[in-house]
Amino acid sequence: MGEAKVGTAAGAPGGAVAIGARYRSHTCGALRASDIGGEARLSGWVHRVRDHGGVLFIDLRDHYGLTQVVADPDSPAFKAAERVRSEWVIRVDGAVRARPEGTVNADLATGEVELYAREIEVLSEAKELPVPVFGEPDYPEDLRLTYRFLDLRRETLHAIIMKRLAITRHIREAMHEAGFNEFPTPILTASSPEGARDFLVPSRIHAGKFYALPQAPQQYKQLLMVSGFDRYFQIAPCFRDEDPRADRLPGEFYQLDVEMSFVEQEDIFQTMEPILTGMFEAFADGKPVTRGWPRIPYDTAIAKYGTDKPDLRNPIEMADVTEHFRGSGFKVFAGLIERDPKVRVWAIPAPKGGSRAFCDRMNGWAQKEGQPGLGYIFWRPRSESLTDIDSKMLAWGLERAQLEGRTEAVEHLTEKYLNAIEGSGPIAKNIGPERTAAIAAQLDLNAGDACFFTAGDPAKFYKFAGLARDEIARELKLVDESGFHLAWIVDFPFYEWNEDDKKIDFSHNPFSMPKGGREALEAAQAKGNEALLALKANQYDIVCNGYEIASGSVRNHLPETMVKAFEITGLSRADVEARFGGLYRAFQYGAPPHGGMAAGIERMVMLLTGCKTVRDVALFPMNQQASDLLMGAPSEASTKQLRELSIRVMPVEKKA
């Protein structure tokens, strides 16, 4: 094939390339009907080879797409075509022609044309594949990660990675448009207090000392605000030695890191909510995205959903029904309430779950979770009950009467409700029909519905209640999976009780400002631990479909307030100066009020691509045991390396 006939120059990615190109005039996704009658040179991977009546069809693939190559026995390239196998890399020269009538592939961008091969050059042969690319069969994850370079050739995963790049590009452009500047920050730094273990890097020059990889650019971005800059952002690498899970990579990850000066919490919300809403809408493939995100206080999230990361696609909202059990015949709950003022009884409604079989199944699930069981009531119509519509109208009228404080109306409607449906199950039998009816009225439950109950100190059982809520919704298929439901979780506790160390500790970000500032901090300290644990912070998370995708706060920019906050956790002024000296010193030279947030890139991409794990949206992730199977990390250090770093490895005791 003459070089002068090969293609024309084109600037668009995936189109024609320069005249005389050694490997290709076009990419495998570029040829169209307008190219019929011309010549082309393509290079790529052999996706598959098909033999139809002695005519060979080669699907040739590169980053940009796929083109069908044809070689018949009359083609000078036929013998070479007979040799090629899947995933060989070849160059093909040939004529662009229309596909025969009835063979056009409408699902393929190049589906109207094919390349009649005149010359094939093998550029690279491939051994038999340990992980097939064509057809994308299911293979064990560890095998896929060992051969990740093959895994990434698969169309689905390849597209996911490209979508990730498009998402980060969209974010970067949106941040620039909003007036933010992209500042790089150091990778080698000092230990940071983000809540995870640091990855340490030993220093050769400073024997016996270590750098740390940043868990986040937290302190640097605050220092940028003190330095007089404003509106910082970065798609930042973060390193945390955490246990892996489906939504968390074990070593490194990326986050959209943001900081702003002279802002309050609402300023940050008004700035970032439209940016992230726009990003979700741009990549949601038409699925609905929440606009005007609700602001849910932390305490409300725990009480309604059993988690500070609620999946708002699940319509179930839990409720406090303690008073219905106080002094009741259900002695287990009544006794707990009488003995401990902290005890609450929470109800988990189960719409359309009103059968004994379902209730027993949920009780069995609770036992598998290590609980003694899950008490329940299910409602059924009385023989002379109201219609379903009448029952709903009755529940609505009762709710209005309760809200308006019309006592007589409440009593009258409750009596009618009592006559409409009846509760079944051991709890209903023990608390009596009036209390059972009152629970149904409070939760707007009707015949065919059920309700499950858990009791005790909410601090000890709320997580289980949240799991039960999710399980009930899954079993009853109540979760609307068609969209992205976003919300702010606000008013986090500033402190929490560290049960292991038996002391007060930070609940969220230690650099956050407590609500009310130093005055509120000192007032709470004077009242004791209970008041400290009730103290709220200017801290917030963004949640989407049951995942925390971002976290942030308005920062504590006053050095004495910072010292006081740390002193309550047991760290002295000297400890603060030693651990966070750069930040502490900077705050003494005029620090502006500032705040920000960080959003996890992998988690957002995971949600937008429908993946079940963040490992499927990362190029070369570690496995669930924090091992890089492709590169063989972590690995042992050589004696020479250890000697240069003044390190001696201690033998690890084998676990019994």
Side-chain angles (χ1 to χ4, degrees), residues 1-10 15-21 24-27 31 35 38-42 93-94 96:
M1 174 176 149
E3 295 293 331
K5 298 180 181 178
V6 180
T8 58
V17 298
I19 293 174
R24 58 189 180 186
S25 65
H26 298 73
T27 69
L31 296 176
D35 297 299
E39 302 283 314
R41 172 175 289 174
L42 306 181
D93 291 354
V96 183

Side-chain angles (χ1 to χ4, degrees), residues 207-222:
K209 294 186 177 181
F210 296 81
Y211 302 101
L213 300 179
Q215 293 191 31
Q218 177 73 55
Q219 295 184 70
Y220 285 112
K221 68 179 182 179
Q222 291 189 245

Side-chain angles (χ1 to χ4, degrees), residues 465-477:
L467 290 174
R469 169 183 174 266
D470 290 340
E471 184 69 15
I472 291 166
R474 277 193 295 270
E475 284 281 330
L476 297 175
K477 296 180 171 56

Side-chain angles (χ1 to χ4, degrees), residues 352 379-398 412-422 444-448:
K352 308 303 181 184
W379 284 266
R380 56 192 179 192
R382 290 185 180 276
S383 55
E384 299 180 356
S385 68
L386 303 177
T387 66
D388 186 57
I389 293 175
D390 287 339
S391 183
K392 289 183 184 301
M393 290 298 295
L394 184 58
W396 178 84
L398 181 58
H412 174 69
L413 290 170
T414 300
E415 186 177 354
K416 287 193 69 177
Y417 210 100
L418 177 64
N419 292 327
I421 58 175
E422 62 180 356
D444 191 20
L445 298 173
N446 298 286

Side-chain angles (χ1 to χ4, degrees), residues 373-611:
L374 196 58
Y376 60 82
I377 299 173
F378 64 94
W379 284 266
R380 56 192 179 192
R382 290 185 180 276
S383 55
E384 299 180 356
S385 68
L386 303 177
T387 66
D388 186 57
I389 293 175
D390 287 339
S391 183
K392 289 183 184 301
M393 290 298 295
L394 184 58
W396 178 84
L398 181 58
E399 182 183 6
R400 296 297 304 172
Q402 290 170 326
L403 289 171
E404 295 168 7
R406 296 184 283 121
T407 306
E408 290 185 7
V410 169
E411 291 176 354
H412 174 69
L413 290 170
T414 300
E415 186 177 354
K416 287 193 69 177
Y417 210 100
L418 177 64
N419 292 327
I421 58 175
E422 62 180 356
S424 297
I427 289 180
K429 182 179 179 182
N430 281 279
I431 66 174
E434 289 81 8
R435 293 175 188 258
T436 300
I439 291 171
Q442 179 183 340
L443 301 176
D444 191 20
L445 298 173
N446 298 286
D449 297 337
C451 188
F452 297 87
F453 303 90
T454 185
D457 183 348
K460 297 179 180 177
F461 75 65
Y462 79 86
K463 291 182 180 178
F464 168 72
L467 290 174
R469 169 183 174 266
D470 290 340
E471 184 69 15
I472 291 166
R474 277 193 295 270
E475 284 281 330
L476 297 175
K477 296 180 171 56
L478 299 176
V479 178
D480 177 11
E481 298 184 353
S482 64
F484 299 96
H485 293 239
L486 294 124
W488 295 99
I489 308 298
V490 300
D491 297 342
F492 276 81
F494 190 69
Y495 292 116
E496 65 183 10
W497 181 251
N498 185 329
E499 187 62 35
D500 293 335
D501 298 332
K502 306 297 183 191
K503 72 179 189 72
I504 293 283
D505 214 340
F506 289 108
S507 156
H508 200 277
N509 188 316
F511 296 130
S512 302
M513 180 69 81
K515 285 185 175 290
R518 186 174 176 183
E519 292 77 12
L521 199 59
E522 291 177 339
Q525 186 182 24
K527 295 178 181 178
N529 284 355
E530 192 169 332
L532 284 169
L533 294 173
L535 186 67
K536 304 301 182 185
N538 285 305
Q539 297 170 339
Y540 39 85
D541 283 355
I542 302 172
V543 298
C544 180
N545 294 2
Y547 292 96
E548 174 201 323
I549 63 169
S551 183
S553 72
V554 174
R555 316 303 182 189
N556 185 348
H557 69 287
L558 301 173
E560 293 308 307
T561 308
M562 180 179 174
V563 168
K564 173 59 68 175
F566 276 95
E567 283 179 344
I568 290 171
T569 69
L571 294 178
S572 67
R573 182 184 298 270
D575 292 328
V576 173
E577 290 181 5
R579 293 182 61 180
F580 320 116
L583 203 58
Y584 177 68
R585 285 193 301 276
F587 284 175
Q588 303 187 48
Y589 294 95
H594 59 281
M597 53 164 276
I601 296 294
E602 283 87 0
R603 284 186 190 172
M604 292 191 293
V605 176
M606 180 185 74
L607 288 166
L608 286 165
T609 55
C611 292

